[in-house]
């Protein structure tokens, strides 16, 4: 398994590779959100049904704008989300028409987050877009917390392991519905 720095992973992601990388709390599996073949590969590796949808994590809010329909949110709703970013808050936001169903599943919304994790920010900056993010584990199992676990579970299945440290979060991000303000999952 190739080990790369966040800034050096762009070519692998752009070619459709699925990568593992450290996030705020656990290792994630990710890929290019605009490449359905890569998303299908990620879902196959994780054994996750496409219907559940996925999360996009960005280094900057502007990277999310091509995927979300801001016109369905009030200025106050957008300001509330932006007041929590960057940070461990994921917001459910309406999608732009035509967004791949592999990203949003059976929903008309998508989960998005602007990270404050330096490695994930560097990764997103390297590919100049958000990255698909789902915990690095087989569906229903505990997320990976070490590079050794990534290598054990995903050797030969992913393009690379991004070198870096996990952030200081001990729980997954809080998930909030951007329209209603309701907390869906407390982090």
């Amino acid at each position: 398994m190739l080990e790369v720095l966040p800034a050096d992973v762009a070519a692998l992601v752009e070619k459709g590779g699925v990568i593992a990388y450290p996030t705020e709390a656990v290792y994630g599996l990710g890929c290019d959100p605009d490449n359905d073949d890569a998303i299908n590969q990620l879902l196959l590796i994780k054994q996750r049904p496409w219907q559940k949808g996925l999360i996009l994590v960005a280094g900057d809010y502007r990277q999310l704008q091509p995927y979300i329909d801001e016109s369905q949110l009030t200025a106050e709703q957008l300001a509330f989300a932006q007041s929590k970013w960057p940070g461990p808050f994921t917001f459910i936001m309406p999608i732009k028409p035509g967004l791949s169903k592999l990203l949003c599943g059976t929903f008309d919304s998508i989960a998005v987050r602007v990270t404050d994790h330096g490695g994930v920010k560097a990764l997103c900056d390297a590919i100049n877009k958000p990255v698909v993010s789902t915990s690095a584990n087989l569906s229903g199992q505990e997320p990976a917390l070490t590079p050794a676990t990534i290598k054990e579970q995903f050797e030969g299945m992913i393009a690379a392991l991004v070198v870096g440290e996990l952030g200081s979060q001990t729980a997954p991000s809080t998930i909030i519905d951007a329209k209603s303000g309701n907390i869906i999952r407390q982090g």
Side-chain angles (χ1 to χ4, degrees), residues 80-136:
F80 178 65
Q82 291 174 350
S83 77
K84 298 290 190 184
W85 289 335
F89 294 89
T90 298
F91 282 84
I92 306 298
M93 293 191 166
I95 57 170
K96 284 213 171 154
L99 189 72
S100 172
K101 286 293 182 190
L102 295 176
L103 287 175
C104 62
T106 58
F107 306 98
D108 58 1
S109 58
I110 188 164
V112 295
R113 181 170 74 249
V114 177
T115 185
D116 61 358
H117 185 277
V120 181
K121 286 176 66 81
L123 169 61
C124 293
D125 288 347
I127 64 173
N128 198 30
K129 62 174 74 173
V131 64
V132 170
S133 187
T134 184
S135 57

Side-chain angles (χ1 to χ4, degrees), residues 44-175:
L44 183 66
I45 291 167
K46 188 169 166 79
Q47 300 174 12
R48 179 182 173 96
W50 70 268
Q51 293 88 343
K52 287 185 170 185
L54 295 161
I55 294 175
L56 294 182
V57 176
D60 181 287
Y61 176 71
R62 289 171 294 187
Q63 294 172 340
L64 296 173
Q65 289 175 310
Y67 306 90
I68 60 174
D69 186 352
E70 293 174 317
S71 72
Q72 293 188 45
L73 298 170
T74 66
E76 292 80 15
Q77 291 166 333
L78 279 171
F80 178 65
Q82 291 174 350
S83 77
K84 298 290 190 184
W85 289 335
F89 294 89
T90 298
F91 282 84
I92 306 298
M93 293 191 166
I95 57 170
K96 284 213 171 154
L99 189 72
S100 172
K101 286 293 182 190
L102 295 176
L103 287 175
C104 62
T106 58
F107 306 98
D108 58 1
S109 58
I110 188 164
V112 295
R113 181 170 74 249
V114 177
T115 185
D116 61 358
H117 185 277
V120 181
K121 286 176 66 81
L123 169 61
C124 293
D125 288 347
I127 64 173
N128 198 30
K129 62 174 74 173
V131 64
V132 170
S133 187
T134 184
S135 57
N137 60 306
L138 298 178
S139 195
Q141 294 186 5
E142 290 297 312
L145 298 174
T146 66
T149 304
I150 295 294
K151 291 174 183 176
E152 179 183 305
Q153 289 185 8
F154 300 107
E155 185 72 48
M157 292 187 235
I158 61 174
L161 169 60
V162 177
V163 176
E165 300 293 324
L166 291 177
S168 60
Q169 296 293 318
T170 56
S173 64
T174 296
I175 300 177

Side-chain angles (χ1 to χ4, degrees), residues 1-78:
M1 178 180 304
L2 186 63
E3 292 187 26
V4 296
L5 295 173
D8 299 328
V9 77
L12 294 171
V13 173
E14 289 166 359
K15 290 178 185 172
V18 175
I19 58 168
Y21 56 96
T23 70
E24 297 88 345
V26 299
Y27 275 81
L29 292 178
C31 65
D32 181 343
D34 299 318
N35 184 328
D36 279 356
D37 289 339
I39 300 168
N40 269 320
Q41 183 64 25
L42 180 145
L43 293 168
L44 183 66
I45 291 167
K46 188 169 166 79
Q47 300 174 12
R48 179 182 173 96
W50 70 268
Q51 293 88 343
K52 287 185 170 185
L54 295 161
I55 294 175
L56 294 182
V57 176
D60 181 287
Y61 176 71
R62 289 171 294 187
Q63 294 172 340
L64 296 173
Q65 289 175 310
Y67 306 90
I68 60 174
D69 186 352
E70 293 174 317
S71 72
Q72 293 188 45
L73 298 170
T74 66
E76 292 80 15
Q77 291 166 333
L78 279 171

